[in-house]
Amino acid sequence: MADKLKKLPFFLPFAGCRGQCVYCNQRAITGVTEVPSPDYVRAVLKDIKEPREICYFGGSFCRFPEETIKAYLDCVAEYAPAGSAVRFSTYPGDLRDDALRALIKKYPVSRIELGIPTLDPAVLAACRREADPEKIFEDISLLMKDSLPVGVQMMIGLPGQRRESSLRDLTRLAELKGGERWELRLYPCLVIAGTELERLYRRGEYRPLSVEEAALWGGEFIELVVVFGFVPIRIGLQETVSLAAEVKAGPHHPALGELILAEAEARRLVKLVPKGPWQVPRRDISKFRGHGGFGIKRLAIHAGISENEAAKQIVYES
């Protein structure tokens, strides 16, 4: 199963992008300044002994010329160990061409991750993204018709975006996917150096989320993600030395993902048992006791009881 394979990522910063989203600086986020060529990928794969999930992240993979797409995919088919798979990220509209989808289907594709930060046309336009949500739905439907495995990358805290609209976006995608298993990544918006968003922030035209705001919004979002049958696989950007140096504002915190998961779990538990007791796996202790007892505080608030009482109502299980 591809989801059990260890990932081997190759970052292709801005490769295939037709423009630059206001919040995006992929070189700053990843620390990768040059796009690795298929020759480079082949050289790396020759030394790999165990099956891997080869991941092409960044840029927009299916906006390469077809021969370039094929060259990257052939790297996996011809040089990766047997049983390997390939995952890539791209814009929803990049696979409208029937012949290109037919080409993709010839390879062991484990997941096509679609960048869908929002479905709000005004927010998409403000971010300099393609701004027709109905077209996005048509594009996803083509992939579903061909049984290609879909994943989505979404964002919160974008310019002009509101919590209610982000939850509505998720609801619409859930209606489209039905019972399919879609993986989901959630990225709270950060102000990265060298972006248009940084300029908007400096001029006072954009207010980023605080860490707490991102934790509460993200927690409500992730709670709904699970209810709708998505599989959350990543929350927040991976912390790197490069990223830490380039973030100028916004909810930048090394444990933001855990704070968001703590809020989501607190909401879920209180809905199940309004005043406790709450059974919590021992592996999740840090979500409740860590970070100043953030999870306990959120349980207390949602349950309408004191923090001391909330802490007493948690039963940690092996």
Side-chain angles (χ1 to χ4, degrees):
M1 294 290 291
D3 56 0
K4 296 181 180 179
L5 294 175
K6 186 175 180 180
K7 289 179 170 53
L8 177 59
F10 294 92
F11 294 98
L12 315 175
F14 293 122
C17 291
R18 296 174 184 170
Q20 184 172 345
C21 301
V22 296
Y23 50 77
C24 188
N25 186 342
Q26 293 177 8
R27 296 185 182 93
I29 290 170
T30 64
V32 177
T33 57
E34 295 185 4
V35 176
S37 67
D39 287 340
Y40 174 84
V41 175
R42 281 192 288 270
V44 171
L45 293 182
K46 285 179 180 178
D47 294 329
I48 302 300
K49 306 304 181 185
E50 299 294 329
R52 296 289 186 91
E53 185 179 33
I54 314 305
C55 306
Y56 296 118
F57 290 143
S60 195
F61 186 74
C62 289
R63 285 187 177 174
F64 283 121
E66 186 172 316
E67 61 270 21
T68 305
I69 295 172
K70 187 175 186 303
Y72 278 113
L73 295 177
D74 281 344
C75 291
V76 179
E78 298 174 9
Y79 293 90
S84 294
V86 61
R87 169 189 296 256
F88 57 82
S89 57
T90 200
Y91 274 69
D94 292 347
L95 281 159
R96 291 172 188 163
D97 182 73
D98 293 344
L100 182 54
R101 291 198 309 281
L103 172 67
I104 297 294
K105 290 182 69 174
K106 294 178 181 178
Y107 295 88
V109 175
S110 55
R111 193 71 56 177
I112 299 174
E113 296 197 22
L114 304 175
I116 308 174
T118 175
L119 292 168
D120 185 318
V123 179
L124 285 168
C127 293
R128 295 184 182 167
R129 300 278 297 197
E130 295 170 343
D132 185 352
E134 299 310 315
K135 199 67 180 174
I136 291 173
F137 277 91
E138 291 175 14
D139 296 332
I140 298 175
S141 295
L142 288 174
L143 300 180
M144 295 175 69
K145 178 176 66 71
D146 281 347
S147 300
L148 287 164
V150 172
V152 292
Q153 301 174 359
M154 304 188 73
M155 298 183 70
I156 58 174
L158 293 166
Q161 189 182 30
R162 297 292 179 265
R163 179 186 61 83
E164 294 80 8
S165 74
S166 73
L167 300 178
R168 189 163 54 248
D169 293 343
L170 189 62
T171 301
R172 293 188 67 193
L173 287 173
E175 290 170 350
L176 178 63
K177 83 172 182 66
E180 290 199 11
R181 179 184 181 273
W182 286 10
E183 293 180 347
L184 183 144
R185 298 178 191 262
L186 176 65
Y187 297 115
C189 186
L190 298 174
V191 178
I192 306 295
T195 62
E196 178 62 24
L197 196 62
E198 183 192 16
R199 291 185 279 277
L200 293 172
Y201 167 70
R202 300 293 185 196
R203 295 199 299 263
E205 297 174 20
Y206 170 71
R207 187 186 76 81
L209 298 177
S210 67
V211 170
E212 183 173 3
E213 287 171 332
L216 302 191
W217 182 346
E220 185 172 7
F221 190 95
I222 290 297
E223 180 196 17
L224 199 57
V225 162
V226 175
V227 168
F228 285 153
F230 292 90
V231 181
I233 61 170
R234 179 84 199 173
I235 301 172
L237 292 168
Q238 183 174 346
E239 185 64 24
T240 63
V241 173
S242 173
L243 176 65
E246 299 295 340
V247 174
K248 300 306 177 184
H252 181 226
H253 189 286
L256 180 61
E258 187 163 69
L259 293 174
I260 287 174
L261 289 172
E263 169 67 10
E265 185 66 358
R267 297 175 65 92
R268 185 187 73 84
L269 289 173
V270 170
K271 286 178 180 176
L272 285 175
V273 187
K275 302 293 182 181
W278 300 295
Q279 297 179 340
V280 173
R282 191 164 294 277
R283 66 176 181 273
D284 289 343
I285 287 177
S286 64
K287 290 179 185 174
F288 293 91
R289 293 184 179 176
H291 316 296
F294 178 79
I296 292 174
K297 291 176 182 177
R298 296 308 301 166
L299 270 174
I301 288 171
H302 288 301
I305 59 178
S306 71
E307 290 179 28
N308 286 338
E309 183 61 26
K312 292 177 183 178
Q313 292 300 317
I314 300 176
V315 180
Y316 295 106
E317 299 185 328
S318 298

